[in-house]
Amino acid sequence: MELNQATLQKLKIALARKSFYDYCNMRIPKVYDKCDYLEEICNEMQDFLENDLELLIINVPPRHAKTLTKDQYVPWVYGQNKTIKVIGVSYNQGLSRKSSKYIRNSIMEVKTDVEKLVYSDIFPDVKIERGSASVDMWKVEGAYTDSYLASSPHGMLTGAGGDIIIIEKKKKNA
């Protein structure tokens, strides 16, 4: 029995909701399709969320899609639980803001092409709260407090708490 296109798309969306790797592969297939090490990284990141692990360190060479994967992870996490608070830290505020903007905009992406899947096709109930969408700090509708904080070691981390703290590129050129 052959599945029609609409049924196949619904199955892919259902997989993307449950599997971080399938989510990444659906969003950016050119990067993730049949990439064993990225599948392993995605599975480790999903395991980190689902099993409430204390620490996850990902150490791979430059240009291996670490940042891209991290920037896919945060929206997927909100699809699992809208109340999670994430802090994204990079060695300078500019990089932190760049990631925050990418993450926020991917959640807010408006569907303009019926053929192209956007975030809201996969997680229709996750939206950025209106009036709470600055680049440094924003909130998902339904969350009790700010959902995402972009910062740096010299930024506004004092007093901030997070369920997931992502530290990326801690030391430039180290």
Side-chain angles (χ1 to χ4, degrees), residues 90-103:
S90 192
Y91 72 88
N92 72 44
Q93 193 67 29
L95 284 176
S96 293
R97 283 181 176 149
K98 183 178 178 183
S99 280
S100 176
K101 185 176 180 181
Y102 178 89
I103 294 163

Side-chain angles (χ1 to χ4, degrees), residues 44-56 163:
E44 290 296 325
M45 292 174 83
Q46 182 169 344
D47 188 49
F48 175 79
L49 178 68
E50 292 175 347
N51 293 308
D52 200 28
L53 301 174
E54 293 282 323
L55 180 67
L56 173 64
D163 301 303

Side-chain angles (χ1 to χ4, degrees), residues 78 100 103-104 128 132-135 137-139 146-148:
Y78 290 132
S100 176
I103 294 163
R104 181 198 65 187
I128 303 297
S132 174
S134 76
V135 173
M137 189 181 304
W138 44 266
K139 183 177 176 182
D146 291 316
S147 302
Y148 191 90

Side-chain angles (χ1 to χ4, degrees), residues 16 19-27 72 75-76 119 122-123:
S19 162
F20 178 49
Y21 175 73
D22 289 316
Y23 171 82
C24 291
N25 197 22
M26 178 179 268
R27 297 282 287 157
Q72 297 304 309
W76 184 82
Y119 182 82
I122 302 166
F123 298 111

